[in-house]
């Protein structure tokens, strides 16, 4: 009986836990900067973060671009991101990006300055 109660409490806690955790990085001045989604440093040491559940990566030019979900780089160096918040993205053995819910190009407009 006690074990069932503990298992029930654990399941209730797990169901209520937020999955889309934020991210924190140090900027070029040593300040810790956080965002609701994944964060990345640009070529100038400025931190940019995706919105909650989103991914952030530097492109081949050092600019940070973000997506609704997680991002990956294809064989041409383009950043592709999942169209689903918190959705995964990975590069296959042919260099093509596969995304949960479909892929879209990462963009600067989906980023926000970290705080």
């Amino acid at each position: 009986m006690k074990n069932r109660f503990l298992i029930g409490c654990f399941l209730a806690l797990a169901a209520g836990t937020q999955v889309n955790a934020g991210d924190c990085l140090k900027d070029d001045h040593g300040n810790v900067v956080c965002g609701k989604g994944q964060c990345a440093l640009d070529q100038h040491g400025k931190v940019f973060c995706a919105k909650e559940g989103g991914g952030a990566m530097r492109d081949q030019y050092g600019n940070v671009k973000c997506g609704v979900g997680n991002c990956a780089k294809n064989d041409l160096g383009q950043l592709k991101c999942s169209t689903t918040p918190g959705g995964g993205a990975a590069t296959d053995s042919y260099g093509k990006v596969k995304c949960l819910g479909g892929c879209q190009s990462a963009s600067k407009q989906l980023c926000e300055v970290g705080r």
Side-chain angles (χ1 to χ4, degrees):
M1 184 76 156
K2 186 177 179 181
N3 287 340
R4 287 185 189 161
F5 176 75
L6 291 174
I7 290 171
C9 289
F10 175 74
L11 292 175
L13 179 65
T17 303
Q18 183 68 285
V19 175
N20 299 327
D23 193 14
C24 296
L25 292 176
K26 282 188 181 180
D27 66 11
D28 62 341
H29 301 292
N31 300 315
V32 175
V33 180
C34 299
K36 293 181 181 178
Q38 185 180 23
C39 299
L41 287 167
D42 71 2
Q43 74 272 24
H44 304 293
K46 190 170 183 179
V47 177
F48 290 94
C49 302
K51 294 181 174 106
E52 190 171 354
M57 290 182 74
R58 282 175 55 164
D59 66 11
Q60 64 265 37
Y61 307 108
N63 299 311
V64 176
K65 294 187 178 178
C66 300
V68 175
N70 291 305
C71 304
K73 192 178 290 190
N74 68 14
D75 57 345
L76 301 174
Q78 300 167 328
L79 303 177
K80 300 290 182 179
C81 307
S82 173
T83 58
T84 304
T91 307
D92 68 15
S93 57
Y94 301 105
K96 305 296 178 209
V97 176
K98 305 290 183 182
C99 305
L100 178 67
C103 292
Q104 67 181 24
S105 294
S107 74
K108 183 75 172 168
Q109 290 75 23
L110 292 173
C111 295
E112 47 192 34
V113 177
R115 295 177 232 135

